[in-house]
Amino acid sequence: MIEVWVNGKRLQVDRGVTVTGLLAREGLLTPIATVAVNDKLLPRQNWDYRLQDGDRVEVINLMEGG
């Protein structure tokens, strides 16, 4: 197990979990999600990145408004 932070919340996750796997587990995997890991935007094609102990993940779901 490793410890990561997701939107300011500390979580214990399995070693080797990807960004996609984490988002799915937390119910944050949406077509409009934007992700930053350690303050760097992570393009969707790189969501196979395996999280490391201490990584900080920020997930933003953009919404249309009017």
Side-chain angles (χ1 to χ4, degrees):
M1 297 291 277
I2 61 170
E3 184 176 278
V4 297
W5 294 82
V6 179
N7 293 345
K9 179 175 139 187
R10 184 174 47 182
L11 297 176
Q12 296 284 324
V13 297
D14 292 330
R15 185 172 301 281
V17 70
T18 63
V19 171
T20 300
L22 175 69
L23 296 181
R25 169 191 145 157
E26 295 300 308
L28 299 170
L29 188 58
T30 67
I32 57 174
T34 301
V35 175
V37 176
N38 300 324
D39 297 322
K40 293 183 182 176
L41 286 177
L42 191 67
R44 191 172 285 265
Q45 66 264 24
N46 293 53
W47 285 10
D48 59 348
Y49 169 75
R50 295 190 185 281
L51 294 165
Q52 305 296 312
D53 192 44
D55 276 349
R56 294 185 176 272
V57 180
E58 295 293 327
V59 182
I60 301 164
N61 280 301
L62 303 174
M63 298 183 343
E64 289 186 40

